[in-house]
Amino acid sequence: MFLAACSGAGGGGEETAAADAQRVLLVSNQPLDPGTSGGEIVADGLDVCAEEGWETQSIVVADVNQYESTLRTAARDGYDLIATTFPPMSDATVAVADESADTDFVAIYQFTNIESDDVHPNIASSSFSYEQTGYLWGVAAATLSESGLVGVVNGMAEPGSNTVINGAIQGAASVRPDLEFTVTYTNSYTDPAKGSENAAALLNEGADVLFAMADQSNIGVIDTAKDASTIVIGDTAQRIESYPEGIVATQPLTFGEPLADACRGDFAGGEHTVYELSTKGAQQILDEVAAWAEASGSPKGADVVEAVNAAWAAIESGDVVVEADPAEPGTGN
């Protein structure tokens, strides 16, 4: 019955492989559409599991009150591996994992197993060095901004996005210590209207660079920025084509890596793994900045390209170490 419910419950990842294969279920609190964070987990995680011979399934659960019951049902249904997404699912993942010793859990971008006295042996948790991504964004923003204010439209205050923003603040300070950031929240990853509302408010405050960090709510941020001919940094590469002259750089998506590793046999139960920004991910940002400079014809284009390339070279060489700070960067709105 649970398999039937999964197959009709929300996008990405159809049931595959033979009936006697190991079974993996992706339970996502965000949409699994191509080009989204969830879609990347399907493409680079769940699809890899299928290639490795696993029977795969996915489900989207938008209601926080259903996280725990959904995971509990899945564990009872005999899944060998269950993957969950992002910090809002952490409590439910831990609760069900602790009572389901025979089931392995991959907690994607969740900060379980951080404390040595609170380790869960059947959970492999992971986070990503997106403070390095943020640093590059901050360097670009500081090089571009004339008003001295960067407006951030964030989905929610959670460790992952906080780390990106704090990395951006560090990067900006390396170029322009007086640059200010105002952080706002949509409290939803699927509300373009709220993204537009927050973006408009930030523009009214004088922001001339916007960070889009709210998944599908970013559509509203980009539309508002485009109407105002304002620079955008963030979101995903798939939306660059909607505003090539205005989107400077995006977030390289690597959220699928922990699930892919587990299905390949590298399940790090009881551990927390930090995935570094890869050379491939950094190169994506550098290429995007160069493409934006060409598409926009901005007189600052060459300066931004030079600054971001120099910043990545410093990170890669170890001359710059970006602090991973998950604390909330500001009160927001």
Side-chain angles (χ1 to χ4, degrees):
M1 291 180 65
F2 189 75
L3 274 174
C6 286
S7 63
E14 298 178 354
E15 184 181 349
T16 61
D20 59 350
Q22 288 184 294
R23 301 164 66 215
V24 55
L25 172 69
L26 169 62
V27 182
S28 177
N29 67 329
Q30 295 187 23
L32 299 177
D33 304 316
T36 66
S37 299
E40 190 276 333
I41 295 172
V42 172
D44 293 335
L46 200 63
D47 288 352
V48 172
C49 294
E51 293 169 3
E52 293 292 322
W54 289 68
E55 176 186 314
T56 66
Q57 195 71 44
S58 64
I59 183 173
V60 174
V61 182
D63 185 352
V64 64
N65 296 311
Q66 295 182 8
Y67 293 167
E68 192 167 322
S69 61
T70 301
L71 295 177
R72 185 169 290 111
T73 301
R76 290 173 179 170
D77 198 50
Y79 281 93
D80 301 285
L81 180 66
I82 298 173
T84 64
T85 60
F86 309 118
M89 296 199 73
S90 292
D91 289 345
T93 302
V94 169
V96 177
D98 284 350
E99 64 187 40
S100 309
D102 293 334
T103 305
D104 290 334
F105 290 79
V106 174
I108 298 171
Y109 218 156
Q110 297 171 56
F111 296 81
T112 314
N113 297 330
I114 292 292
E115 302 295 335
S116 59
D117 59 349
D118 188 25
V119 170
H120 305 270
N122 60 333
I123 298 178
S125 64
S126 58
S127 58
F128 303 83
S129 293
Y130 287 150
E131 68 273 8
Q132 296 172 349
T133 298
Y135 190 94
L136 299 180
W137 289 4
V139 167
T143 307
L144 281 165
S145 180
E146 296 183 358
S147 71
L149 178 62
V150 175
V152 181
V153 181
N154 193 9
M156 297 180 185
E158 47 86 8
S161 60
N162 293 346
T163 299
V164 176
I165 298 166
N166 287 322
I169 292 170
Q170 293 174 64
S174 72
V175 176
R176 182 176 175 179
D178 65 334
L179 190 70
E180 297 181 359
F181 288 74
T182 296
V183 183
T184 69
Y185 302 98
T186 60
N187 294 312
S188 170
Y189 293 100
T190 59
D191 189 351
K194 181 62 176 174
S196 178
E197 176 186 327
N198 283 24
L202 290 165
L203 293 177
N204 287 336
E205 289 183 23
D208 60 354
V209 177
L210 295 177
F211 280 13
M213 301 179 60
D215 210 336
Q216 290 187 318
S217 300
N218 292 337
I219 295 171
V221 179
I222 294 169
D223 287 345
T224 298
K226 187 174 183 179
D227 289 344
S229 298
T230 300
I231 291 298
V232 176
I233 298 175
D235 198 52
T236 59
Q238 284 77 4
R239 294 199 181 103
I240 286 180
E241 62 184 20
S242 70
Y243 188 27
E245 71 277 19
I247 298 179
V248 177
T250 69
Q251 174 69 71
L253 295 179
T254 57
F255 295 129
E257 290 184 36
L259 179 54
D261 284 349
C263 288
R264 291 181 179 125
D266 187 16
F267 175 75
E271 299 178 15
H272 180 83
T273 302
V274 179
Y275 288 80
E276 296 290 332
L277 177 64
S278 66
T279 300
K280 178 181 177 181
Q283 190 61 52
Q284 175 185 319
I285 295 175
L286 302 182
D287 290 346
E288 288 170 350
V289 172
W292 162 80
E294 181 176 355
S296 68
S298 170
K300 292 187 175 182
D303 292 339
V304 177
V305 170
E306 181 180 0
V308 175
N309 275 270
W312 172 244
I315 292 172
E316 195 170 31
S317 69
D319 291 340
V320 168
V321 178
V322 189
E323 179 187 0
D325 181 3
E328 187 173 353
T331 56
N333 294 322

